[in-house]
Every structure is written in C-alpha cells, then in structure tokens.
Amino acid sequence: MFYDVAMNFVIGTILMIAGAVMVWIPNRVFTMILRASILFLFVNGATLFIRFIKNKKNKDFFFSILSIAFMFFLMNFRYIPQWILRVNFGGYCILCGTACFIQLVIDKINHLKGKFFNFVFTIIYILFGFYLLLNPDFHTNLLMQAFGIYFMILGSRYLSDGCEGINPLTKYKWKRKVRITLPAFLCAMVPDAALASINHYLEEGKPEDLNTHKNDGVVRLKVIVHVGPKGFQKVGHICFAYDDIVYSYGNYDSDSFRLNQTIGDGIFFTVPLEKYIPNMISAENNSIFEYGIYTTPKQNEGIEREINIIRQNGYRWYTKIEKEDGYDRFKEFEMDYPSRLHYRTGAKLYKVKSGKFHIYWALGDNCASFTDLVLGTLGADVLSMRGIISPGTYLDWLQKEYLKKNSPIVYRCIYTKDTIEL
C-alpha cells in the first residue's frame, strides 16, 4: 500500500513538472518529442533488422524498412507530426462531442431535463474538433500548452490523492464534485491494464496479497468490476451488490442492439453474489475486482431508497431460454448471454420502464453511470466534466480511495481462476 501511495506522489510530481515545461517552452517540448520519436524509430528499425539477420523472418525485415522509412519521413517533413497531432486530437474531440450529442438525443427521447452542461460540452467538442481538422495554420504550441495545463491539473489530483493516502486524520468523508480524469480512451484501458498487472505478478510468484482487509466490520455495499480476455470484455463491466444481491445494468436484449451493440434497451438484473462471482470466473472467463464499502445506517437508508426506485422502474423481461422453455436444450441458447446467465445462476432480468437508463448508451447511460446512482448517494466524486463515465474511471477511483487510510473502502478482493477454488 505504501508503494502505491508513493507512486501517486511520483506520478503527480512528474505530471506537474512536465505540464509546467509544456506551458513554458511548448516549441522545445514538441521538438524534443519529435527527436525522441526519430531516435525510437531508428533503434526499432535497427533492432528488427538485426533480428531479421538472425531469424530470417520476412516480417522483421518489412517492419524494419518501414520504421527507417518513417524516420526519414519525419526528419524531412516536420509539418507531418504537427498534422498528425492536430488531426488526431481533432478527431478525438469530435468523437467525444458525438458521444455527448447521442446522449442528448437519448435524454430528449426519455424526456429528461437539466442537461445544459452536456449541451455546452457537445458544442465545444464538435466546434473545436472541426476547427483543428479544418485549420492547417493552427499553432501546435497552443495545443501543447493546453496539454500542459491539463497535465498540471491531473498532477495536482495525484498529489492530493497521495496526501490523503497518508493523512492520519480520523475523519474522512467523500464529497460529490467534478473529478479530473484520464482521457476517455485511456480510462477504457484501465481494467485490462490492471488485469495484466495482476497476471504478471502471479506469473512471477510475487508474495503480494490480493485480498486485503482494513478491518472486520460488516460491509453491506460492494462494488464489482470484472474484466474479460477479449473484445468489449477488456473495457470491463461494473456493478454493485447490496446485502449480497448483485444489481447489474447493461445492453442484454439482442433484438434491440443498435450501432454495433453500443445502444439498446436498458436492462438490469438481480442475482445472489455467491452465484454471480463463480459464474463470471468459471463460465465467462472473467477476473473480478471487488471493493467493500463501509456504510452508516443513514447511508443505508439512502441506498435502499435508490434501489427501491430502480426496482419500481423495471418490469420483468424474460430471456430466450425462458420464453421457449428451453432449459433441457441449453446448447441452443448458450451463445445468448442473458439466457446462459439465467440458466446458470437463476438471475432475473428487468427492462427499465422510463426515464434515465430506459435506453442504454455505452458512452453515456452505461453500467458505470448506473452504479453511480448508488455510490453517488455516498458522495463518490467520479462526476465527469464531459459526462462520460467508464468502468475504468471507477476502477481507478476505487483503487485510489482504497489506498487512503481512512477511506470507507475497507477491503479489496481480486478473484481469478488462479486465485479461487471453484
């Protein structure tokens, strides 16, 4: 734990210094990045060529020539890296703006109000994105300085987390506020990166304990992040359990899939935790990050009130195996996740009647936003300025909060096929 807290200070300090340098001398920083890229391409090309001489693999020779050619290209056409930076960041802004716009449309369909800031960010993202794409005279220095300011703000957050991690104060309370997070595409990689880290030290046989408890108090609220080995599973999924009943929200009705399964009818299911975790590990080949959160009687009242609202806004939805009474023909329905989940665990699924979460949107009203309904009652500060919360955003926050001495997160358990007996 001390190592992770120290890393917050190290990362925060590096980000603060790097951000200040980028603001002060942006042109030099860009030149340094360009020279470092050229050096990397040269070393990479030489390494691949040496490997080709030893192993005689045509693939190594091809990528060696490609690396060296791109190196000479960057050396002779300085405007190309600037173009790449400008176009890529402009495209990223347009994608974020589009995600916010789709959420606005969904909110309109669901008759929701109070989305002014989402509208503002939609306009800002899209206009700035197109401005970058269509303006070849945009000064890269300004973009580097903007990155520098962002790095400094992000660095201050890491330093703050580090200070709170060693703070001896006996009282610690979550406060609901906007949290500066990593870029959305990096947050999406957090669950898979965390799993890769766990697998690495398991392979190395390191003695670090995956399951750690700060105290033995009764925990009624648990947050579960699970990560799979391929596809969208790498992005992760998040849900919560209260009194050992799991509540999970997602896009489970294949008949309602739209936009490559990123949009669909909002559905949540309930299932006993003791059945859910073994099924996710053994049958779904997922790994589980579970965090236990201590709650007070007053907080429990708020959680129960929110869960009652969730339940009252749902109606029973039957899976394909239920509709066709196919329990004795499981193989026919095995490829349908809701069907195999119900068959193996007895999970009951419910469609959201109306309002928020009536329509699932992977980059808006998703599983992380659904879990935030409950954690938000405790003051969890994972509100995003851009309105996009991912499982990775929450996993990063949960781990940082767990490392703080007096945080309400009192235990962490990590389950994989290698660490649990099924």
Side-chain angles (χ1 to χ4, degrees):
M1 182 178 293
F2 174 77
Y3 171 79
D4 291 321
V5 172
M7 283 302 296
N8 277 335
F9 283 107
V10 172
I11 294 173
T13 302
I14 292 174
L15 287 172
M16 291 288 288
I17 294 174
V21 172
M22 292 174 75
V23 171
W24 187 253
I25 47 174
N27 188 52
R28 291 185 184 180
V29 172
F30 181 79
T31 301
M32 289 170 58
I33 294 173
L34 179 60
R35 289 175 178 174
S37 300
I38 291 172
L39 178 62
F40 169 79
L41 290 169
F42 173 76
V43 172
N44 183 62
T47 302
L48 289 173
F49 187 74
I50 293 172
R51 188 188 301 174
F52 164 73
I53 294 175
K54 291 181 177 179
N55 302 326
K56 304 299 182 183
K57 290 185 178 180
N58 292 333
K59 180 178 68 174
D60 291 336
F61 178 75
F62 172 77
F63 283 108
S64 172
I65 296 301
L66 190 65
S67 185
I68 297 297
F70 194 51
M71 178 195 73
F72 281 111
F73 194 72
L74 292 183
M75 291 173 63
N76 291 281
F77 298 94
R78 179 184 172 85
Y79 68 89
I80 292 297
Q82 296 177 342
W83 180 86
I84 293 174
L85 179 65
R86 177 172 59 82
V87 170
N88 274 277
F89 189 66
Y92 172 74
C93 288
I94 290 175
L95 285 174
C96 288
T98 302
C100 292
F101 175 74
I102 291 174
Q103 185 61 58
L104 281 174
V105 174
I106 291 174
D107 291 341
K108 182 67 176 178
I109 294 173
N110 292 334
H111 306 290
L112 297 178
K113 299 179 180 179
K115 294 294 180 180
F116 174 75
F117 285 106
N118 200 13
F119 172 76
V120 171
F121 274 100
T122 299
I123 299 300
I124 292 175
Y125 270 128
I126 292 178
L127 290 181
F128 187 58
F130 276 110
Y131 176 74
L132 288 174
L133 290 179
L134 302 176
N135 185 8
D137 297 325
F138 183 83
H139 293 289
T140 306
N141 288 354
L142 295 177
L143 204 53
M144 297 299 293
Q145 288 176 325
F147 289 157
I149 294 172
Y150 171 72
F151 285 165
M152 292 174 69
I153 295 174
L154 193 61
S156 66
R157 195 206 80 190
Y158 274 92
L159 291 176
S160 175
D161 287 338
C163 290
E164 291 176 347
I166 60 174
N167 195 331
L169 295 177
T170 56
K171 292 184 178 180
Y172 179 81
K173 185 178 180 181
W174 287 342
K175 297 178 181 179
R176 194 70 165 163
K177 60 182 181 295
V178 172
R179 181 179 179 86
I180 302 299
T181 64
L182 294 170
F185 71 94
L186 288 180
C187 285
M189 300 177 186
V190 168
D192 188 51
L195 179 59
S197 176
I198 295 299
N199 289 336
H200 176 71
Y201 84 70
L202 285 176
E203 291 172 359
E204 294 291 325
K206 295 181 180 179
E208 181 177 346
D209 187 9
L210 293 179
N211 304 328
T212 51
H213 293 70
K214 295 180 183 179
N215 60 57
D216 297 324
V218 177
V219 173
R220 300 181 67 181
L221 178 64
K222 302 167 185 176
V223 180
I224 303 156
V225 180
H226 48 78
V227 192
K230 58 185 179 181
F232 280 122
Q233 290 182 332
K234 286 179 173 286
V235 177
H237 176 77
I238 187 170
C239 56
F240 69 90
Y242 185 72
D243 286 343
D244 289 335
I245 298 296
V246 173
Y247 297 82
S248 179
Y249 172 82
N251 187 17
Y252 301 122
D253 184 1
S254 59
D255 293 333
S256 71
F257 287 169
R258 301 289 186 275
L259 201 62
N260 197 29
Q261 301 184 29
T262 59
I263 295 179
D265 292 346
I267 296 175
F268 69 90
F269 65 78
T270 61
V271 62
L273 181 63
E274 62 182 11
K275 294 183 178 180
Y276 182 70
I277 288 183
N279 177 71
M280 291 309 302
I281 296 172
S282 62
E284 303 298 332
N285 196 26
N286 277 208
S287 295
I288 302 289
F289 296 79
E290 179 186 302
Y291 293 85
I293 303 175
Y294 175 78
T295 52
T296 65
K298 184 177 181 180
Q299 289 174 327
N300 290 333
E301 291 178 5
I303 293 171
E304 290 166 4
R305 186 163 49 249
E306 196 63 52
I307 289 175
N308 285 333
I309 293 173
I310 291 171
R311 282 184 169 277
Q312 290 172 9
N313 194 34
Y315 65 91
R316 186 74 165 85
W317 178 75
Y318 295 94
T319 63
K320 293 178 181 179
I321 197 170
E322 292 176 275
K323 291 176 182 177
E324 300 185 26
D325 193 21
Y327 295 102
D328 57 346
R329 295 175 285 114
F330 174 65
K331 288 294 182 181
E332 296 180 19
F333 304 93
E334 191 171 9
M335 296 304 294
D336 181 54
Y337 173 70
S339 293
R340 66 176 183 265
L341 175 72
H342 171 76
Y343 178 82
R344 288 173 173 148
T345 67
K348 294 182 179 180
L349 292 89
Y350 303 85
K351 276 198 176 183
V352 178
K353 293 178 184 177
S354 61
K356 190 174 178 64
F357 300 110
H358 174 58
I359 299 175
Y360 172 92
W361 166 224
L363 300 179
D365 288 339
N366 57 15
C367 58
S369 300
F370 182 80
T371 301
D372 190 63
L373 284 177
V374 168
L375 290 184
T377 65
L378 309 181
D381 64 334
V382 194
L383 291 174
S384 171
M385 292 180 67
R386 60 182 174 273
I388 301 173
I389 309 176
S390 70
T393 305
Y394 247 116
L395 180 58
D396 177 63
W397 177 81
L398 287 165
Q399 180 61 19
K400 283 182 169 55
E401 288 298 314
Y402 168 72
L403 294 174
K404 297 174 183 178
K405 285 188 174 182
N406 299 296
S407 167
I409 300 180
V410 295
Y411 80 78
R412 179 196 67 188
C413 290
I414 301 176
Y415 308 104
T416 69
K417 283 188 175 181
D418 298 323
T419 61
I420 187 174
E421 293 183 6
L422 301 171

